[in-house]
Amino acid sequence: MKNERYTPEQKILLKIDPKTYTEEEKEEMRIALLPRKKYLPQSDEEGMEIVSLALGSRERTDLFRRCRDDIFARYSCEGRWSAGDKSAVLYYRFSVRGKPLCALRVRIDHFELVFTLGKKEMESFEQIRSTLPKQDIQYGYDVTGWDVDRKVLAYSMDRSYEDVFRVLALRCPPDKTKFRE
């Protein structure tokens, strides 16, 4: 029973022929069949299948792939799926030399890039603040509370894509050999 993707109730829903769904039922079933408990995908393909279900559109799924590929292109990092929690269906976490870099947090119909900034990085943010978009970047930074000299930031990747990566670079500069801005 450990690490099963579907609850017993969801397994009953799987027996219904999807060809019989109306458009409204397809949308409801898409959400109803997402993992309801902590579930770790058994392969990258299964992880991407869950991402596709959660995001609900090919465009958002393609953006997720692009973002994941861009992080790999910018950093010498490792990536792995991680089970969801109360705030997310699923995570894809990145680490550099065994230390956490960031995560893609998948929610229903959108995903975010999540990372922390320490005290030094927050000071660096203040130095470049005026060069960043107010609504998309500065506002997200300002409304995020901080605790023990760090902020946990979460930015939607459908706007200000490159600006989010500029803020992430405060935490860990991209590899110069892998990526040139």
Side-chain angles (χ1 to χ4, degrees):
M1 188 84 175
K2 208 170 197 170
N3 202 43
E4 284 193 41
R5 180 170 170 177
Y6 299 109
T7 64
E9 294 80 11
Q10 287 174 311
K11 288 178 184 178
I12 293 169
L13 291 175
L14 287 171
K15 293 178 183 177
I16 302 170
D17 183 5
K19 294 174 194 158
T20 65
Y21 298 157
T22 65
E23 287 303 312
E24 186 178 293
E25 290 169 332
K26 283 180 186 177
E27 180 64 12
E28 289 173 7
M29 290 299 284
R30 173 181 75 89
I31 295 168
L33 292 175
L34 289 170
R36 294 287 176 231
K37 54 192 174 174
K38 289 186 175 190
Y39 176 73
L40 183 64
Q42 301 303 297
S43 67
D44 192 54
E45 293 77 21
E46 184 183 24
M48 286 307 301
E49 177 188 333
I50 294 170
V51 166
S52 182
L53 278 174
L55 297 180
S57 79
R58 183 181 181 112
E59 294 81 22
R60 288 186 207 122
T61 303
D62 289 345
L63 180 59
F64 178 92
R65 278 193 179 94
R66 175 181 163 215
C67 186
R68 186 171 79 157
D69 291 346
D70 277 356
I71 293 170
F72 281 125
R74 294 167 194 250
Y75 295 94
S76 295
C77 60
E78 296 176 359
R80 68 181 177 5
W81 292 105
S82 180
D85 56 21
K86 290 179 184 177
S87 70
V89 173
L90 191 63
Y91 289 91
Y92 194 86
R93 299 186 187 275
F94 299 88
S95 58
V96 175
R97 293 183 293 281
K99 294 184 180 178
L101 171 66
C102 61
L104 293 172
R105 176 170 55 191
V106 179
R107 296 179 177 212
I108 294 174
D109 295 332
H110 75 283
F111 73 97
E112 303 156 321
L113 184 65
V114 180
F115 55 94
T116 61
L117 292 183
K119 192 171 185 173
K120 282 184 187 177
E121 293 93 10
M122 287 189 285
E123 290 169 2
S124 297
F125 181 92
E126 293 302 333
Q127 291 175 354
I128 67 164
R129 169 188 281 279
S130 63
T131 67
L132 297 166
K134 286 184 180 176
Q135 184 178 8
D136 295 338
I137 303 297
Q138 291 181 35
Y139 179 77
Y141 179 87
D142 292 339
V143 298
T144 301
W146 56 284
D147 178 31
V148 192
D149 295 328
R150 72 183 183 112
K151 279 188 178 252
V152 178
L153 301 173
Y155 289 111
S156 176
M157 296 305 291
D158 57 355
R159 299 186 329 200
S160 295
Y161 188 87
E162 286 301 323
D163 291 314
V164 172
F165 279 113
R166 286 180 57 207
V167 177
L168 178 61
L170 298 174
R171 175 170 171 62
C172 182
D175 296 343
K176 288 184 177 22
T177 58
K178 291 191 82 175
F179 181 77
R180 297 202 190 327
E181 287 189 80

